[in-house]
Structures are given as C-alpha cells and as structure tokens.
Amino acid sequence: MKPMTPLAVLVLLTSPAFAETWRCEVPYDEVNGGGRVTIEDDRLVFLSNWPHRDPEILKCTKNGLTSECMSADLATNRNGGASVFAKLFSIVWEKDGGPPTTITTRQLSAIFHAHENGYAIAEAFPSIGYRFPVTDCQAD
C-alpha cells in the first residue's frame, strides 16, 4: 500500500466542508403555497406551508453553478399500461458562492400503453413550468 501524501489527507478531510447546505424561505404564491426549501449538493427538500402537501424530496446533481433535481412517480393503470409524472427543479448558483435567488421547475407527465414488446407512449402532456423566488437563505 502506498503512503498518502499530507496534501491528499488534507483534501479528504476538508472536502465535506465544501458541501454546503442552504435553508431558504419560499414566499407564498398560488402555485406552491410558500414554505421552506433545503438545498444540498445531492438533494432538495421542499416543505410547503399548505398542510395537505407532503414534503417533496428530490435527488440532485450539481455541475459547476447549476444543480438539476428530479423526482418521479410511476403508476400502473387499469389496462396494464403506466403513467409517469416527473418534477424537475433547476437551480443556478451565484458566481461568488452565494445562494440561488430563484428555482425553475418543470412538471412532465405521460401515459404509456402496454404492448407485447414493452411500452409505447400513448400521450405526452405539455410541460408545466414556473419560477419561484427563494429568500433569506442561510448556510449550515
């Protein structure tokens, strides 16, 4: 086994320190009801102020100043087909390392029919998209 250089040890020990968690407020609007969002490098959690909504937990990837987050649901329908609903969040980070100021979301859905060789898209619905602000962000 090769010995590790002091620089390699330092990089391994400090790399988690560069992974920040941001907790931000989401002002009320008619689409999402407002609430709070927690943004990490590998996930996003949105807690709506509306009591009937469960927390949304999305998996994320971060590349440079952009994070892309996604959650998806798959359900079978009565005729053996399936329906898919996906929610995508895009976050653009500030160049100075500060928190984002807006999050853009797109919601996609489609219905698939079962065929002998798999599934085929029966209907794809137009994507719904909107942008909402985030404020009062604090780094943990």
Side-chain angles (χ1 to χ4, degrees):
M1 184 169 129
K2 290 185 175 183
M4 293 182 82
T5 65
L7 180 59
V9 172
L10 182 63
V11 168
L12 288 173
L13 292 176
T14 60
S15 60
F18 292 116
E20 289 184 307
T21 298
W22 288 93
R23 298 186 194 289
C24 305
E25 296 296 316
V26 177
Y28 177 83
D29 66 26
E30 295 295 324
V31 177
N32 60 39
R36 288 169 207 73
V37 65
T38 301
I39 308 165
E40 301 172 1
D41 283 344
D42 62 346
R43 76 179 194 146
L44 179 145
V45 178
F46 177 75
L47 298 169
S48 175
N49 286 337
W50 284 340
H52 65 278
R53 287 186 60 179
D54 291 331
E56 294 183 65
I57 301 172
L58 295 86
K59 300 260 186 202
C60 300
T61 60
K62 186 173 181 183
N63 186 10
L65 296 175
T66 304
S67 291
E68 297 291 343
C69 306
M70 182 179 131
S71 69
D73 291 316
L74 175 67
T76 58
N77 58 31
R78 285 179 243 179
N79 63 2
S83 63
V84 176
F85 175 80
K87 188 175 258 192
L88 308 169
F89 282 41
S90 296
I91 303 166
V92 177
W93 296 91
E94 297 296 319
K95 290 181 182 178
D96 64 0
T101 57
T102 59
I103 296 176
T104 302
T105 183
R106 294 165 319 282
Q107 299 175 17
L108 317 164
S109 56
I111 296 175
F112 295 82
H113 285 291
H115 292 276
E116 62 267 355
N117 293 330
Y119 293 93
I121 292 180
E123 188 165 358
F125 299 96
S127 175
I128 300 169
Y130 60 95
R131 180 177 293 189
F132 60 90
V134 291
T135 62
D136 304 321
C137 294
Q138 301 294 318
D140 285 350

